[in-house]
């Protein structure tokens, strides 16, 4: 089982660092090779038409060459659009030489359609659908106006066997595609959850570092006039997180009246500058104690040059101010002495 697992990993390049979209494309090529080979063998055994047996075989050879360049040369983008178009055209030609609209090749056509919708970029998915519909309409028109070009089955038993066999193997390949997508979706979801966990831990570590350094952070949306504050910011401003409504006025109420203009400067002014200068002001806690803080602001602008977001930090510098005052007092006493 380990050898089989390693072979599967090698074929689908699971350990080669391919993106999810490119892994899906590579898997689509592998599924396309298998589908074409099985279809060729089936048409050959049923002797529906030599053309219906040769074209899938040629398509599988072409897909194998594409697989080589995608898997080992990693030339991916250049092949995505043409290979799906070629596959759709080929299956339409096979349809004509294998029973026409009464044949069974509509199922392989749907397999190719699904593969195209999976690997094509979002903006080009509609073109895959349009090509698929257009080719089907062409086959219908050929059978309606030139039924002599259609290679029919020699008996209803042959038609029944071909339809049943095609239904089984195309359904199985659709199952493989869906299973592959589900597995990789689960894998990407797991990576996303791990990334989210690391991000959350990083935020928690940052919050802890800010708490130790007595630094709070805030982000003000200038268009909505709402402020998001970190827990440390609310603690510095002595604001209950449960009652904080996100309005700048909630922060203004705790600012010392004599320093209110400094607080406004840290929030509202200097929007024309990318970085406004540091601003000091005092805040008053509910127990009437006074704290000194240092605010630094960065302004984000949109493409039109309008200020859209104000991001800043606030640091408690009360102890620093107290030390500075004590030093100045000592210097004053020393000078007087």
């Amino acid at each position: 089982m380990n050898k089989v697992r390693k072979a599967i990993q090698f074929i689908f390049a699971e350990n080669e660092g391919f993106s999810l979209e490119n892994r899906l494309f590579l898997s689509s090529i592998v599924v396309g090779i298998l589908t074409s080979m099985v279809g060729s063998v089936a048409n050959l055994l049923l002797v529906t038409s030599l053309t219906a047996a040769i074209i899938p075989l040629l398509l599988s050879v072409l897909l194998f060459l594409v697989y080589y360049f995608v898997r080992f040369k990693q030339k991916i983008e250049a092949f995505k659009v043409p290979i799906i178009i070629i596959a759709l055209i080929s299956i339409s030609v096979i349809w004509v030489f294998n029973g026409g609209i009464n044949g069974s090749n509509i199922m392989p056509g749907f397999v190719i359609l699904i593969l195209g919708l999976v690997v094509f970029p979002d903006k080009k998915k509609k073109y895959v659908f349009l090509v698929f519909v257009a080719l089907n309409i062409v086959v219908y028109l050929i059978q309606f106006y030139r039924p002599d070009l259609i290679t029919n089955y020699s008996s209803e038993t042959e038609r029944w066997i071909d339809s049943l066999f095609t239904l089984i193997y195309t359904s199985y390949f659709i199952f493989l595609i869906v299973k592959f997508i589900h597995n990789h979706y689960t894998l990407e979801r797991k990576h996303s959850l791990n990334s989210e966990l690391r991000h959350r831990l990083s935020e928690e570590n940052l919050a802890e570092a800010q708490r130790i350094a007595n630094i709070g952070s805030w982000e003000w949306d200038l268009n909505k006039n709402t402020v998001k504050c970190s827990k440390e910011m609310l603690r510095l401003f002595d604001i209950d997180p449960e009652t904080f409504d996100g309005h700048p006025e909630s922060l203004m109420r705790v600012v010392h009246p004599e320093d209110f203009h400094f607080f406004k400067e840290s929030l509202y002014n200097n929007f024309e500058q990318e970085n406004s200068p540091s601003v000091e002001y005092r805040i008053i806690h509910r127990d009437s104690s006074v704290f000194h803080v240092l605010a630094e602001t960065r302004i984000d602008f949109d493409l039109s040059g309008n200020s859209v977001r104000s991001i800043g930090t606030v640091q408690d510098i009360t102890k620093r101010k107290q030390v500075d005052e004590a030093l100045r007092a000592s210097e004053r006493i020393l000078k007087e002495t």
Side-chain angles (χ1 to χ4, degrees):
M1 288 299 294
N2 290 333
K3 291 183 178 180
V4 173
R5 181 57 187 165
K6 288 181 179 179
I8 293 175
Q9 289 178 344
F10 177 80
I11 292 172
F12 291 99
E14 293 183 3
N15 301 321
E16 300 296 328
F18 280 64
S19 66
L20 174 60
E21 184 182 24
N22 291 337
R23 288 201 306 269
L24 288 173
F25 180 57
L26 186 66
S27 301
S28 301
I29 296 173
V30 175
V31 173
I33 293 172
L34 296 176
T35 305
S36 301
M37 292 179 65
V38 173
S40 178
V41 172
N43 291 331
L44 188 62
L45 292 176
L46 293 172
V47 199
T48 54
S49 168
L50 187 60
T51 304
I54 292 176
I55 293 180
L57 186 61
L58 294 176
L59 181 60
S60 64
V61 173
L62 174 62
L63 289 174
F64 187 81
L65 291 175
V66 173
Y67 172 84
Y68 169 78
F69 283 102
V70 172
R71 169 67 176 81
F72 299 102
K73 302 296 183 180
Q74 296 193 7
K75 295 182 179 181
I76 301 171
E77 297 300 328
F79 290 103
K80 283 186 177 180
V81 175
I83 201 62
I84 295 297
I85 301 301
I86 292 173
L88 287 173
I89 294 175
S90 298
I91 197 64
S92 300
V93 174
I94 295 171
W95 200 2
V96 172
F97 289 96
N98 191 18
I101 60 176
N102 298 318
S104 59
N105 286 289
I106 186 66
M107 284 291 289
F110 274 115
V111 172
I112 299 171
L113 173 64
I114 293 172
L115 295 178
L117 294 177
V118 167
V119 303
F120 265 49
D122 289 339
K123 293 182 179 179
K124 296 182 179 180
K125 292 185 187 300
K126 59 183 178 182
Y127 298 114
V128 181
F129 174 74
L130 293 175
V131 169
F132 175 78
V133 172
L135 290 172
N136 276 265
I137 292 175
V138 169
V139 174
Y140 271 72
L141 292 176
I142 290 174
Q143 181 153 345
F144 183 77
Y145 289 104
R146 293 295 305 273
D148 55 298
L149 297 178
I150 305 297
T151 303
N152 288 310
Y153 295 93
S154 58
S155 66
E156 285 300 318
T157 302
E158 188 178 278
R159 184 196 310 279
W160 183 86
I161 294 174
D162 189 24
S163 299
L164 178 61
F165 191 71
T166 304
L167 174 65
I168 292 173
Y169 81 77
T170 51
S171 298
Y172 177 69
F173 286 130
I174 291 175
F175 164 75
L176 289 180
I177 296 169
V178 174
K179 185 175 184 296
F180 178 84
I181 293 174
H182 178 266
N183 288 343
H184 282 282
Y185 170 80
T186 303
L187 182 63
E188 291 298 317
R189 178 61 179 165
K190 183 179 179 181
H191 290 333
S192 177
L193 290 175
N194 290 336
S195 177
E196 183 180 342
L197 177 61
R198 288 194 298 269
H199 179 68
R200 186 164 64 248
L201 291 175
S202 177
E203 286 187 338
E204 291 175 356
N205 291 335
L206 177 60
E208 180 63 17
Q210 289 180 344
R211 186 190 67 79
I212 295 174
N214 286 327
I215 298 177
S217 59
W218 50 271
E219 180 179 327
W220 179 27
D221 190 320
L222 303 179
N223 295 323
K224 297 180 180 179
N225 196 32
T226 57
V227 179
K228 293 180 181 179
C229 297
S230 67
K231 293 181 180 179
E232 187 63 20
M233 171 80 170
L234 296 176
R235 189 191 69 79
L236 288 176
F237 275 65
D238 195 25
I239 297 176
D240 186 357
E242 299 294 331
T243 61
F244 181 63
D245 55 9
H247 291 292
E249 290 77 10
S250 301
L251 302 176
M252 297 177 186
R253 286 194 288 266
V254 301
V255 177
H256 195 289
E258 296 179 1
D259 295 347
F260 189 71
H261 63 288
F262 293 125
F263 173 78
K264 289 185 64 176
E265 181 181 348
S266 70
L267 288 179
Y268 294 98
N269 295 336
N270 300 310
F271 280 173
E272 291 75 20
Q273 304 177 26
E274 183 177 353
N275 293 290
S276 60
S278 302
V279 178
E280 291 185 21
Y281 54 85
R282 290 168 290 176
I283 54 177
I284 304 175
H285 283 192
R286 283 171 286 186
D287 60 359
S288 299
S289 57
V290 178
F291 290 81
H292 295 262
V293 297
L294 177 68
E296 295 185 353
T297 308
R298 189 191 82 239
I299 307 300
D300 289 342
F301 301 89
D302 59 17
L303 297 177
S304 301
N306 301 317
S307 53
V308 294
R309 189 180 298 105
S310 175
I311 301 174
T313 59
V314 175
Q315 182 177 13
D316 183 1
I317 59 172
T318 303
K319 292 184 179 180
R320 186 197 307 174
K321 298 289 288 188
Q322 292 172 348
V323 170
D324 289 343
E325 287 294 332
L327 286 174
R328 281 195 291 269
S330 297
E331 290 174 355
R332 228 176 9 253
I333 294 173
L334 182 60
K335 188 176 181 179
E336 291 175 356
T337 303

